[in-house]
Amino acid sequence: MTQDRGLVVVVEDEPSLADVARLYLVEAGFGVHLSRDGTSGLLDITRLRPVAAVIDIGLPGIDGIELVRRLREAGDWTPALFSTARDAEVDRILGLELGGDDYLTKPASPRELVARVKALVRRSRVTASSDLLTVGTCELDAVRRTVRVDGRPVELTATEFDLLAQLMRRPGQVFSRTQLLSEVWGVADYSGTRTVDTHIAQVRAKLGAPDRIRTIRGVGYAIDA
């Protein structure tokens, strides 16, 4: 099978899980490189420039959260899907706040893993219908995938970028959390909407004041023109 979807780095220390992930991703048309620990995973992602990375949180050496933190500090915004056996909400939210784009809790269906990776890659390549979106002092360039506020560059993850673009395409429109999950994440039936709130909080923090993203209690979010 041709591997025309691009390369995915899977950072997983359990050989059986890594092999299953590799098998299903290859069948879906991805090339796959396996890394067995956090240190080699960091080097491999930096060196290979994959279209996405699947990263276990509980890795030997440096853990998955620290791995992604170091990537983001170095300006590497490779879309990252966390895989975790930890069931604590704090771990999931912490991972997303440090630059992860999505997460799966083990044991996860291999088909669900492939679907999430496809969604990550698709979001990172999406171009908005308008090349340049402007709301207040925030400018979003959909072709170059850059964001500026008052002329200063703002670094966003692929998911944060697409979430902001979705709001900016229709200023004033209220999007429910379910709508955002469907339109940004590409997932029609997502078990938890907390991830939307987390990503919105991160976008707000990065954009700074004034905060034009409005919370509609019990419904969702909108951005004010």
Side-chain angles (χ1 to χ4, degrees), residues 19-215:
D19 288 342
V20 169
R22 179 186 56 78
L23 174 64
Y24 276 79
L25 286 167
V26 168
E27 286 183 349
F30 291 99
V32 177
H33 178 86
L34 299 181
S35 304
R36 299 300 189 186
D37 59 71
T39 301
S40 62
L42 177 61
L43 294 173
D44 291 338
I45 293 169
T46 302
R47 174 175 59 91
L48 297 173
R49 311 297 296 177
V51 296
V54 179
I55 302 170
D56 181 30
I57 286 183
L59 292 168
I62 61 173
D63 66 19
I65 292 175
E66 176 64 15
L67 189 165
V68 171
R69 186 188 69 79
R70 294 188 188 184
L71 285 174
R72 300 314 188 225
E73 280 189 346
D76 187 323
W77 296 89
T78 299
L81 172 67
F82 282 121
S83 174
T84 176
R86 305 177 189 176
D87 197 34
E89 184 71 13
V90 65
D91 283 340
R92 302 173 185 176
I93 300 307
L94 177 61
L96 294 173
E97 288 178 348
L98 287 175
D101 294 285
D102 202 355
Y103 72 87
L104 278 175
T105 303
K106 296 178 181 178
S109 160
R111 290 184 175 84
E112 177 71 4
L113 170 66
V114 171
R116 296 290 185 88
V117 170
K118 285 181 178 179
L120 274 184
V121 174
R122 181 174 63 251
R123 292 202 303 273
S124 70
R125 292 173 175 170
V126 163
T127 298
S129 57
S130 174
D131 290 350
L132 184 64
L133 304 173
T134 303
V135 173
T137 60
C138 180
E139 293 185 350
L140 182 147
D141 188 323
V143 174
R144 295 179 177 83
R145 292 188 68 85
T146 58
V147 174
R148 290 181 175 273
V149 175
D150 287 325
R152 67 174 176 86
V154 177
E155 297 289 348
L156 300 178
T157 68
T159 300
E160 290 166 353
F161 181 93
D162 292 319
L163 179 58
L164 178 61
Q166 183 67 26
L167 295 174
M168 289 181 66
R169 287 185 194 115
R170 301 171 190 171
Q173 177 173 329
V174 178
F175 291 89
S176 70
R177 291 172 175 82
T178 301
Q179 281 180 301
L180 292 172
L181 285 168
S182 176
E183 296 181 25
V184 176
W185 275 257
V187 180
D189 182 16
Y190 201 94
S191 59
T193 57
R194 178 71 183 275
T195 189
V196 175
D197 299 335
T198 301
H199 280 86
I200 288 286
Q202 286 303 108
V203 171
R204 280 172 160 158
K206 292 179 179 181
L207 295 182
D211 181 11
R212 290 183 174 271
I213 300 178
R214 182 162 43 97
T215 301

